[in-house]
Amino acid sequence: MAERPDPPYLRIAAALRRRIENGELAPGDRVPATRRLAEESGVALATATKALAVLRQEGLIHATGRAGTVVAPRPAPPAPRRTAPAPPPVTAPAGDPGRDRLVRAAIALADAEGLAALSMRAVAGRLGVSAMAAYRHVRGKDELVALMTDTVLGELDHPRTPAPWRTRLEVGARALWRVHRAHPWLAQTGPLTRPQLLPRLLAYSEWMLAALDGHGLDAATVLDLNALLYSHIQGLAVHAEREAHAAGQTGLTDEEWLDTQEPAMSALLGSGAYPTLARLLDEVGEDGYDLRLDGLFERGLRALLDHIARLVAECAPPA
């Protein structure tokens, strides 16, 4: 009796495994994206996803926060048996990375893999020093994150010359949005209700508050509006961080993930239970609705500024 052929996902996994074992795909190399695997093998996205899951379980590949799915490092070969005890290893004295190098290495790690991957040991490893060397500069992860936050906020670029209030707020909001887009982990560093008392964060707030002040608005309204503008930026930036994390964990882009949800979505929309959603999605056409965080940021910012303009107009003295 002829043997039954392996299912497609196992054949795909076996082909990738051979490429890893023969060195065609080296440790750290990106594994072909799920969509590419599906197209090359003529299978569904779900099948390609299942193939990658097999290799993850075997420890041959792993997901990173930003780079996607890559080939995992090869385990070190077992030490040879010795008839006599091995002499103790000789270690070089730990280096001193300096606070700035430490913070920059931590930022690079968080940018690449997300804040969850950040630890004192991981940062020290990037610098080739011991964890104790890192602790000479900061007391722990919380202090390190605060220094990272203050450092990246130094990238804020807003002019020091006077400008109309709306222009100042637009410039400030877009500057902070760019910093969050460059460093998605920044949105995870502190809740709105417990702001970090960092020099550059306070300087940014001062810039925004000065733009809102002096137009007849009471103090509480000025502070509320500043918080709304900040939370609009931070709230969307949280989703940018989650999007990057999800892509790294699943190996799927947003478009590829939506493709895997298409059968379930079609069934739900075809049920008649959600007529408004079904009609709107039908009206956007074959290309579908494309949710872009940058577009949402601009739309939300415009709505907030228009609201502030109405408040300022209400407070203006009659002509």
Side-chain angles (χ1 to χ4, degrees), residues 35 177 181 232-233 235-241 243-244 247 253-256 258 284 287-302:
R35 179 179 291 279
W177 177 244
R181 291 297 262 163
H232 170 59
I233 298 164
L236 287 177
V238 165
H239 293 290
E241 167 74 359
E243 176 184 311
T253 66
D254 285 349
E255 183 180 349
E256 290 169 344
L258 286 171
V284 296
D287 292 337
Y289 170 58
D290 195 10
L291 191 152
R292 295 289 183 186
L293 293 179
D294 290 316
L296 287 179
F297 163 74
E298 289 295 339
R299 185 181 289 272
L301 177 60
R302 187 164 59 249

Side-chain angles (χ1 to χ4, degrees), residues 37-235:
L37 284 176
E39 291 174 348
E40 291 178 348
S41 306
V43 298
L45 281 171
T47 301
T49 301
K50 196 172 180 180
L52 293 180
V54 171
L55 298 181
R56 284 196 191 94
Q57 291 172 356
E58 295 175 0
L60 292 176
I61 63 175
H62 67 95
T64 65
R66 298 290 178 272
T69 300
V70 301
V71 178
R74 290 190 175 93
R81 289 180 173 271
R82 295 177 179 269
T83 55
V90 178
T91 57
D96 186 347
R99 175 177 282 196
D100 185 63
R101 283 188 64 218
L102 180 73
V103 172
R104 293 293 177 185
I107 291 169
L109 175 61
D111 286 349
E113 301 183 36
L115 204 59
L118 184 72
S119 68
M120 296 295 288
R121 184 177 298 276
V123 178
R126 278 197 163 220
L127 293 169
V129 300
S130 71
M132 290 307 298
Y135 278 108
R136 284 202 290 267
H137 296 282
V138 295
R139 290 187 293 271
K141 181 176 176 179
D142 289 346
E143 184 179 352
L144 178 59
V145 171
L147 289 169
M148 292 162 58
T149 301
D150 199 53
T151 298
V152 299
L153 288 176
E155 299 170 15
L156 286 170
D157 180 24
H158 43 256
R160 303 299 176 186
T161 54
W165 69 264
R166 182 162 185 146
T167 300
R168 284 172 63 93
L169 292 179
E170 283 186 288
V171 168
R174 291 199 177 100
L176 187 60
W177 177 244
R178 284 193 298 272
V179 173
H180 274 87
R181 291 297 262 163
H183 309 285
W185 53 267
L186 183 60
Q188 307 285 349
T189 58
L192 185 67
T193 53
R194 299 186 182 188
Q196 296 173 292
L197 300 180
L198 304 174
R200 286 172 174 142
L201 183 58
L202 291 176
Y204 173 79
S205 293
E206 177 67 20
W207 163 269
M208 300 294 277
L209 289 169
L212 288 163
D213 191 31
H215 304 290
L217 304 173
D218 63 83
T221 298
V222 168
L223 292 168
D224 280 350
L225 292 173
N226 181 53
L228 280 171
L229 286 163
Y230 186 86
S231 63
H232 170 59
I233 298 164
Q234 185 186 48

